[in-house]
Amino acid sequence: MTQNNRIAAGGRVDRSQVLEFTFNGQRYQGLKGDTLASALLANGVNIVNRSFKYSRARGIVAAGAEEPNAVVQLGARDDTQVPNVRATQQGLYNGLVARSTNGWPNVQRDVMSWVGRLGGGFMPPGFYYKTFMAPASMWMTYEKYIRMGAGLGRAPTESDPDIYDHMHHHCDVMVIGAGPAGLAAALSAARAGARVILCDEQEEMGGSLLDSRETLDGVSASRWVEQTVKELGAMDNVTLLPRTTANGYHDHNFVTLHERRTEHLADTAREAGFPGESRARLHRVRARQVILSSGTHERPLVYANNDLPGNMLAGAISTYIRRYAVVPGNSLVLSTSNDHAYRTALDWKEAGRKVVAIVDARANPDSDLVRQARDNGIRVITGSAVIEARGGQRVTGARVCAIDLDRFVVTGKIEELECDTIASSGGYSPVIHLSSHTGTRPVWNEELLGFVPGKVKGMHAAGGVAGHYALSETLADGARAGRQAALESGFNDAQEIVLPATRARRDAPACALYQVPHEKSALRAPKQFVDLQNDVTAAGIEVATREGFESIEHVKRYTALGFGTDQGKLGNINGMAIAARCLDRSIPEVGTTVFRPNYTPVTFGAIVGRHCGELFDPERYTALHEWHVENGAEFEDVGQWKRPWYFPRMVNGKKETMHEAVARECLAVREGVGILDASTLGKIDIQGPDAREFLGRVYTNKWAKLDVGRVRYGLMCKDDGMLMDDGTTSCLGENHFLMTTTTGGAAGVLEWLELWHQTEWPELQVYFNSVTDHWATMTVTGPDARKLLSELTDLDLDKEQFKFMDWRDATVADVPARIFRISFTGELAFEINVQANYAMHVWKKLFEHGEKYNLTPYGTETMHVLRAEKGLIIVGQDTDGSVTPEDLGMQWAIGYDKPFPWIGKRALSRPDTRRQDRKQFVGLKPKDPSVVLEEGAQIVFDGKQSIPMDMKGHVTSSYYSASLKHGFALAVVMGGHERMGQTVYIPMTDGTVHEAEIVSPVFIDPKGARQHV
Amino acid sequence: MFYIFCPYCKEHREEEEFHARGQAHLMRPADPDNTTDEEWGDYLFFRNNPRGIHHEMWVHSVGCRKFFNITRNTVTYEILETYPMGEQPTITADIPSVRHEQGVQAADGGWQTVGARPESKALNEETSS
Amino acid sequence: MSNLSVSNVREFNTQPEGNPLVESPLAWSYRHHPAPRGNGQHAGVVLREKALLGHLVLRGGAIALDEAVRQTLGISLPSKPNALAFDDNGERSIQWISPDEWLVIVPGGEEFALESALRKALGDAHASIVNASGGQTVLTLSGDNAREVLMKSTSYDVHPSAFPVGKGVTTVFAKATVILRRPSETHWELVVRRSFADYCYRWLLDASAEYGIDTQ
């Protein structure tokens, strides 16, 4: 195919660079500087998609972000697929491959189209809700087939070869849109010295100036654009971001920008010649002031069959002609409500094609552009509009008739004009989407016949979006806004800038025209489309209002108006106007729906940035991590920490299973000596004369008499009496304590202490500091622990000199160490703390000396089994925020008679916490010793009752004990403390019911003799 | 994403440095043991949820680790002031000029300018209490 | 090695007398995530570690601490938020962290003597001094593209107008927390927690890749 619609001269394309591309399997040629849309139009491609609901043929309508139809699937390979790309925003590159997202088997011949052809009666608004309503469980099935027919693009099935990243910015003035207003604003603010970011979503900056018929300072407007962009680019305080869409405007002037960095050059960054660079970048901008110069979208008219390929926005046609040197047809009828659209007819004529007529809804339009059209011999039909387009796969004619807008009827005789293109313009809608993201409501402006942005703190709407449509006004408004923004950012000597001279033009006022009347009622006339992307018709809105949907938000949800990736760019105002007419209200009374981020679709890659793969989340390592890796540890995630889970060994050439490894590790600790890296436990250094008093207030138990050199276990509750954390605290000095917390609770507990200190008891003299990372902690535990450690330390480990729950300063392997005699295993245990930079040395020395004792490294799984055998809880596993210390049977750790009303005390006397049938912590011994109950399984008292069963508790921890040679579990059971020896039942989803006996949670060494040796 | 002035660091910081910690100026009863269950329940579980001016406690957790208070409009999300622990807000929903300027109803159902007809004076007057 | 001081706080010298193996928090990273080899081209980012320094966290009232710090370190306590001060030869620094918290960084090995001297100078004043030397390390970042790398990593404003020399802040870095400081026109410092050091290091290698990075 050749580029039949390409004009020989003009435009901003480079005719020396011919680019090959493929659309729906067909090969085409375009030029450097084309968008995919302009290249398709150059090649005369009429149908680019099938519509979402009725499967009607659709062509390109617009030239920018507002394009509803030409939404394509991009990518040559499966790993480079990108759905939902607007062809109008996709720069053309050599080798580009795109397909329609809708239409199967192809857009020319679509199997779904019978649905659409049978007419609207089959698919009224709410069709899906009404038809597929029951049974609800089938919706997923229905949806699958509806989606197959509708085709909304597809996600890639292979991993993306490209990377995406983020960049944070701060600036004084963020200018959104580099049209005339944005450029003038940026120039004003930048010359004042402000830090300015200027972004624009198009391939080039300049906006409407790039296809304007007007001149600035006597030369083409695009020349002024070049000069201005050059000046801005040379300034240190300016960041220019072309090809960058401002997609979200969030609280406190936070704007997210989506920069397309290589996607206009090739399928991947590597193919584009930028290997390793990001394909797209999300800029996160915090701006003091935002200038919204997003311009306007032209509003199409709503007439019958206005969705046939060949129906286009007037301004888009001018853009294609003047910017891309593409004239998308041969003979044009223009239907307009305003002056500005006249330039399309002039552009078309200058391109050497036929203008059949301009149909103007106004009775007596008289202005410079109208005269210019008439002077060029163009027929102008006044007081009329195109009421219907004719054609099948493409427009073949226009039915034109005089209309009476007050009575909303056609008057007089209908004239049929032959043409292949109908341009329409119903005026301009300011692009208020971004301002709406902030939650502000748009304000209707009767003079403009459009909504303008509501007030946003720190935002200045400038130019077209603020309703300034004449070029001179737009420039002046931009310059004003730029200076104002600079002043408000503190640049007090911001000056007015000299603007280029424009030629004065006399315009006539536009008339209000949205839906064009037809000789038949909206329900009987051919479909008049309001929202092309969501297949919403004027009749649909009429039906919705008739069925009682009066709120525009309800109309939107019932009809799908303004849904999806389109966000109502072309259709919203027309839809509201139609709803207003049907409800006999004014447009401002009907109001507008809310536009939500994002303005155009953003690829997930850009949202994720580099927070993926190995950088998805921080992995926290202890000082001994390398040893664990080298010794084959399997790791478990505990919060962000990587902790060794277990250390499988090779046995007879086979790697141990977790079960085998854990059994071996457990026995080693119970019978010999094991070692655990416990560095992840939270550690908080507490200093100050009131440290002891503070501990007494935040822990449930007593601290008044803990001597220097001693350690105590403590429980921490919230003020609702529920356990939040536990750990040991050591008295290092009269004014000095070291608190340990759970691994996951470390940050939370520190903040908790600060909270109470800062907000309730600031008079207490105490400071808290995290020393979690400073210390590495190694737990040496088991009957042989003393023998091993005594080889490496200068400390007297005699059990009378260094008792259970003592701590001492010492050296271990010649490194200063603080040793705690505390036990989480029930065995003799020493927790050795050294400054983390020396941890590897000490750890390796322990192994050198430990070989003869078969020193066995163990991980978290073994730690869990060992502590569970002793009935020691893990906060967050055996508790869940609804468990009191009493529920745990830990009355011994509650100091009810402490003088200060400590945190949680009062709540423990509430009726609810005193209930006898609270879930209480117990042990469970399965009747079948081989059974290991499932953690989380529900417990019932009667295993034979019918479903739903009466649930009485649940299993919180469950393991197989190599020492006991049977499975065992910890659980919470209603009134469990009084039910010792009773049998409970644990029904499983597969129908089996396990039996277990309620026992004490302490399965091994109930007297605690082993840890005291 | 809020931009929050930390009254201790004396500059604006991004929201990701902070944690919200709920309603500000909660008073723990001085003598918990002698409160009724109802009073204690109120302290533990009941919070205001006003439309409009609200005082919240936040903590600059990735920063100075200090707690402080924010006066915030829960409709517009505008932060009207931040102040250190122990101080009282200068802007409250009880001040008529604040209610008027902020243009939202206070807890008692006063002003309203959000909605379908933002500029509608009549609407505002209709719903005024 | 340790003693109970007048303030009833247990001081503890973590420095061994011999020469046992000592490893910075990045020892693992250097062995397992070597930086991409430069292809002889100019590196836009230069990354170095200032390993094994002495880190002390000071908490207390500004007036008492200022006097003690001046006596022992010869530096005035920076009283303004986010301020960072150095001694004359730039080897010792003290940084404002919060209204009652400062971070002191000194050459490795000096921290215990300094801690004792400070405590002595403080007398009865309520303060706390905590040794954090094992818990954090310092990375320096320089080069033409250092600022871009920071812009990819932190939402804090690193423009020279907002972040002059002599400033330091605690802020978000990727999904971790760092203390970010600007000791000179050309260099940035990141004080990172030991357990997050590998993550921060890998993040920096990745963010610097497009500019070229020198870690030697």
Side-chain angles (χ1 to χ4, degrees), chain A residues 87-110:
Chain A
T88 49
Q89 292 191 298
Q90 176 61 50
L92 192 70
Y93 56 81
N94 211 25
L96 181 148
V97 176
R99 335 197 115 259
S100 305
T101 48
N102 291 354
W104 181 82
N106 63 55
V107 289
Q108 305 294 333
R109 193 182 291 277
D110 188 298

Side-chain angles (χ1 to χ4, degrees), chain A residues 302-595:
Chain A
V302 178
Y303 48 90
N305 289 332
N306 59 338
D307 67 326
L308 275 177
N311 285 289
M312 293 180 75
L313 289 168
I317 291 175
S318 283
T319 301
Y320 285 117
I321 294 173
R322 299 186 67 87
R323 200 162 150 189
Y324 300 104
V326 171
V327 55
N330 290 307
S331 51
L332 177 79
V333 169
L334 169 68
S335 188
T336 181
S337 67
N338 61 78
D339 272 9
H340 198 62
Y342 274 66
R343 71 195 181 109
T344 300
L346 297 169
D347 291 336
W348 189 277
K349 191 151 198 293
E350 281 167 25
R353 308 266 167 118
K354 184 181 172 194
V355 178
V356 178
I358 296 172
V359 188
D360 193 326
R362 299 170 295 181
N364 290 301
D366 182 25
S367 68
D368 288 353
L369 277 167
V370 176
R371 283 186 189 187
Q372 212 179 326
R374 287 192 165 122
D375 290 348
N376 272 278
I378 296 173
R379 180 184 171 202
V380 178
I381 306 170
T382 59
S384 303
V386 170
I387 65 164
E388 182 179 335
R390 281 291 171 93
Q393 303 272 299
R394 166 98 194 193
V395 169
T396 55
R399 299 178 72 223
V400 173
C401 191
I403 53 173
D404 180 337
L405 287 178
D406 292 332
R407 289 165 41 226
F408 195 65
V409 291
V410 297
T411 58
K413 208 169 130 259
I414 294 165
E415 183 179 1
E416 300 242 358
L417 299 174
E418 262 184 50
C419 63
D420 65 3
T421 306
I422 300 171
S424 82
S425 176
Y428 300 86
S429 298
V431 182
I432 57 174
H433 295 67
L434 285 168
S435 69
S436 299
H437 293 175
T438 65
T440 188
R441 290 277 171 165
V443 180
W444 178 255
N445 182 318
E446 191 62 43
E447 202 178 319
L448 293 172
L449 304 171
F451 283 99
V452 295
K455 282 197 189 94
V456 180
K457 200 177 178 192
M459 185 197 79
H460 310 259
V465 73
H468 300 283
Y469 294 168
L471 182 54
S472 57
E473 281 179 39
T474 304
L475 286 165
D477 196 45
R480 172 204 58 79
R483 178 162 177 264
Q484 188 64 30
L487 289 169
E488 285 175 26
S489 302
F491 295 87
N492 294 328
D493 47 3
Q495 304 294 314
E496 285 181 21
I497 62 168
V498 180
L499 289 168
T502 52
R503 247 198 331 229
R505 199 180 74 191
R506 193 174 52 89
D507 287 338
C511 73
L513 179 60
Y514 309 97
Q515 182 189 1
V516 177
H518 192 272
E519 79 260 31
K520 293 180 186 163
S521 72
L523 290 174
R524 304 183 68 92
K527 287 190 172 58
Q528 302 164 309
F529 282 92
V530 177
D531 180 333
L532 290 161
Q533 193 175 77
N534 297 295
D535 262 358
V536 180
T537 62
I541 294 170
E542 212 174 298
V543 169
T545 57
R546 234 188 261 172
E547 292 189 4
F549 293 92
E550 296 194 359
S551 155
I552 192 67
E553 295 284 357
H554 292 159
V555 171
K556 167 179 170 171
R557 273 151 192 83
Y558 194 56
T559 61
L561 174 69
F563 269 25
T565 64
D566 188 60
Q567 286 292 300
K569 293 182 183 73
L570 295 183
N572 255 27
I573 303 296
N574 283 331
M576 286 162 215
I578 293 164
R581 181 177 59 72
C582 295
L583 295 166
D584 199 21
R585 292 186 195 151
S586 69
I587 292 178
E589 278 174 330
V590 168
T592 176
T593 57
V594 174
F595 302 103

Side-chain angles (χ1 to χ4, degrees), chain C residues 20-110:
Chain C
L21 170 77
V22 56
E23 289 190 335
S24 103
L26 284 167
W28 148 269
S29 312
Y30 296 143
R31 288 191 281 270
H32 291 264
H33 312 291
R37 286 258 64 91
N39 47 5
Q41 282 177 349
H42 174 72
V45 183
V46 180
L47 177 65
R48 296 280 185 273
E49 184 189 8
K50 287 182 167 175
L52 308 176
L53 300 179
H55 298 241
L56 294 179
V57 176
L58 271 48
R59 305 285 304 270
I63 294 167
L65 282 175
D66 179 44
E67 207 171 310
V69 166
R70 272 193 288 155
Q71 267 180 40
T72 52
L73 272 175
I75 317 174
S76 295
L77 191 76
S79 58
K80 281 200 186 125
N82 314 311
L84 167 69
F86 281 87
D87 69 355
D88 289 342
N89 59 15
E91 281 191 342
R92 295 166 192 83
S93 67
I94 179 161
Q95 181 187 348
W96 185 98
I97 299 291
S98 96
D100 60 8
E101 181 173 345
W102 286 263
L103 172 65
V104 174
I105 300 182
V106 295
E110 289 185 10

Side-chain angles (χ1 to χ4, degrees), chain A residues 70-150:
Chain A
V71 177
V72 302
Q73 179 88 16
L74 190 72
R77 305 196 309 252
D78 210 79
D79 59 353
T80 61
Q81 292 296 306
V82 187
N84 278 319
V85 173
R86 274 143 186 72
T88 49
Q89 292 191 298
Q90 176 61 50
L92 192 70
Y93 56 81
N94 211 25
L96 181 148
V97 176
R99 335 197 115 259
S100 305
T101 48
N102 291 354
W104 181 82
N106 63 55
V107 289
Q108 305 294 333
R109 193 182 291 277
D110 188 298
V111 293
M112 282 294 282
S113 61
W114 62 268
V115 183
R117 239 180 276 132
L118 284 173
F122 265 27
M123 294 182 93
F127 173 77
Y128 292 116
Y129 302 131
K130 287 170 178 166
T131 312
F132 299 112
M133 199 153 57
S137 61
M138 283 299 285
W139 172 250
M140 295 305 284
T141 311
Y142 296 143
E143 199 196 12
K144 200 170 104 189
Y145 287 98
I146 294 166
R147 277 184 186 275
M148 205 195 271

Side-chain angles (χ1 to χ4, degrees), chain B residues 9 11 13 16-17 65-66, chain C residues 82 100 155-156 167 171:
Chain B
C9 294
E11 58 181 26
R13 298 289 187 93
E16 57 192 357
E17 293 187 10
R65 300 197 289 125
K66 295 294 178 210
Chain C
N82 314 311
D100 60 8
S155 56
Y156 196 84
K167 186 169 186 176
T171 190

